[in-house]
Amino acid sequence: MTKEQIKKLTDMSRTSGWAAKIGPDILAQVLCKLPKTKHDNLLVGIDTADDAAIYKVNDDLALVETLDFFTPVVDDPYSFGQIAAANSLSDVYAMGGEPVICMNIACFPKELPKKTIENILRGGYDKVTEAGALLVGGHTVDDKEPKYGLSITGYVHPEKYLSNASAKAGDILILTKPIGVGVLNTALKGGLLNDKEIKNLIEIMATLNKNAKDAMVKVGANSCTDITGFGLLGHALEMAAGSKVSINIFANKIPVIDGAIDYAKMGIIPEGTYNNKKYAEKNILIDESVEREMVDLGFDPQTSGGLLISLSKENADDMKAALENFGVKYGVIGEVLEEAEYKIYYKNQWGDYERAI
Ligand code: CO
Ligand code: CO
């Protein structure tokens, strides 16, 4: 095969990154048919659609177990490896855990150059090392579409993990990365992004949620999840449903990656957005003041998105200071309410004291 025949990484996949995730409705229909694993030591299982499972080993130690892998989001193999690893590690951080041992999960087409494979794996290795964890092995299968990610075991104290099902009425919500990754990945696939936009997008996706997690653990929070395939509103909905609360999300307070609003206005929307919207819509009251592009971005599937942290108002100033100390950009994007008619109220915040209900 000549060099010209070697396709770009993103051209080898039908959809990119988290947009490739199977729709939440299909997943829910299948999972509800299967038996639910119950065990005294299983502190978090499949019931609450949490980011990772938690298994208690003894009174001081619980294991955090998760895996993730997906198709290329960018053409640079090293960056793809970094992004896929950062995304996988994020589910451990979302539980307040520390990743310890990682294994590669990979699918590569036979014609993929060895150098490309090496660079993907090197990107993953470097992120695992940056996370302070160990890469100890893996498994690779032949596949037409390249895919890469990690299976991870982490540690957490059995009483200190953060579920997505423990947000409390009165909490505020902090988001630790800007959204718009799905829109920008779609624009990238269409060849619309300039070098600066690509560089910024890669940097955001490849950033570990480690610092955000460290700040969160230091200050203390009630609940956490990371924003990935179901989009900000989809994951907020899982948090609200699991926690039996309702949530105000303020569209005009959400940090958005530069350029994403313009591309969303142009209608450059990944297919996953519509699946996410269709699934979550009936539980979300969208105020008519929210601009259309912000509605789309609310459901935009993120690849390696930030943490959505729910914490008591009293800890808000400490958390902001800790995040700033750790160099994490964030937005205070919502608040938790008593359970109400809708799970999510998506609206603009015009004043500090305004409430949806
Ligand atoms: Co997650
Ligand atoms: Co995951």
Side-chain angles (χ1 to χ4, degrees):
M1 178 175 270
T2 66
K3 206 157 185 199
E4 291 70 52
Q5 284 172 299
I6 297 168
K7 288 195 278 183
K8 289 199 297 177
L9 269 182
T10 53
D11 285 345
M12 299 176 103
S13 64
R14 292 163 298 132
T15 49
S16 66
W18 265 102
K21 191 171 180 174
I22 189 165
D25 47 342
I26 298 172
L27 204 58
Q29 283 164 30
V30 175
L31 288 178
C32 73
K33 295 220 170 77
L34 297 171
K36 290 208 165 111
T37 309
K38 294 239 181 289
H39 190 280
D40 286 348
N41 290 20
L42 185 65
L43 306 181
V44 177
I46 207 167
D47 312 10
T48 53
D50 223 314
D51 295 296
I54 306 273
Y55 182 88
K56 182 176 166 179
V57 177
N58 57 42
D59 288 347
D60 302 313
L61 178 68
L63 301 178
V64 187
E65 296 291 337
T66 180
L67 78 85
D68 252 311
F69 64 120
F70 54 54
T71 53
V73 279
V74 291
D75 290 311
D76 176 50
Y78 181 76
S79 300
F80 170 50
Q82 284 193 307
I83 292 162
N87 176 76
S88 304
L89 288 158
S90 176
D91 276 332
V92 178
Y93 294 133
M95 306 301 291
E98 196 64 36
V100 181
I101 293 169
C102 305
M103 300 187 99
N104 288 323
I105 313 159
C107 306
F108 295 130
K110 279 198 186 74
E111 69 271 20
L112 205 63
K114 284 194 196 68
K115 192 73 193 163
T116 304
I117 296 177
E118 182 192 321
N119 284 332
I120 292 171
L121 298 179
R122 189 181 300 280
Y125 177 89
D126 283 354
K127 272 293 147 185
V128 169
T129 306
E130 184 188 329
L134 302 176
L135 194 77
V136 299
H139 188 74
T140 308
V141 296
D142 173 35
D143 190 348
K144 277 201 205 76
E145 269 187 337
K147 298 175 188 82
Y148 174 64
L150 298 172
S151 158
I152 306 165
T153 297
Y155 287 169
V156 74
H157 191 282
E159 276 153 22
K160 289 180 187 156
Y161 67 86
L162 285 164
S163 157
N164 71 352
S166 43
K168 293 191 172 61
D171 282 1
I172 62 157
L173 291 168
I174 286 179
L175 178 67
T176 68
K177 276 190 195 182
I179 63 167
V181 168
V183 164
L184 288 167
N185 278 335
T186 308
L188 177 69
K189 220 165 145 57
L192 297 171
L193 298 194
N194 62 40
D195 288 351
K196 199 178 146 211
E197 287 171 321
I198 296 172
K199 193 170 165 269
N200 185 41
L201 175 63
I202 289 176
E203 203 175 291
I204 289 167
M205 289 190 288
T207 298
L208 288 176
N209 281 329
K210 179 179 172 45
N211 287 351
K213 186 278 284 183
D214 286 345
M216 169 175 80
V217 168
K218 187 172 170 234
V219 175
N222 287 330
S223 184
C224 180
T225 191
D226 62 336
I227 305 305
T228 52
F230 301 150
L232 173 62
L233 294 174
H235 289 281
L237 174 58
E238 284 184 332
M239 183 182 270
S243 307
K244 299 191 170 54
V245 293
S246 289
I247 283 175
N248 272 343
I249 300 276
F250 301 120
N252 56 345
K253 302 287 177 184
I254 300 170
V256 181
I257 305 172
D258 287 349
I261 288 180
D262 292 333
Y263 289 115
K265 274 186 186 161
M266 288 160 64
I268 304 187
I269 310 287
E271 197 191 325
T273 300
Y274 301 106
N275 298 335
N276 286 343
K277 196 172 175 185
K278 206 174 129 214
Y279 177 69
E281 214 162 38
K282 61 180 182 298
N283 290 309
I284 301 180
L285 185 65
I286 300 172
D287 192 85
E288 56 192 21
S289 68
V290 181
E291 301 82 356
R292 221 192 79 189
E293 57 276 12
M294 280 312 294
V295 174
D296 289 336
L297 283 165
F299 294 102
D300 184 51
Q302 303 302 287
T303 298
S304 191
L307 299 183
L308 180 67
I309 306 170
S310 185
L311 71 151
S312 68
K313 277 202 180 81
E314 297 83 78
N315 284 348
D317 287 340
D318 286 351
M319 185 69 84
K320 288 182 204 170
L323 287 169
E324 276 154 31
N325 259 334
F326 281 103
V328 180
K329 293 197 187 110
Y330 66 89
V332 179
I333 63 152
E335 62 191 350
V336 182
L337 316 163
E338 300 286 350
E339 194 167 32
E341 190 185 349
Y342 288 87
K343 291 262 168 258
I344 306 281
Y345 295 85
Y346 191 42
K347 53 196 286 204
N348 287 316
Q349 187 186 38
W350 304 119
D352 280 352
Y353 302 102
E354 193 204 356
R355 294 287 181 277
I357 47 168

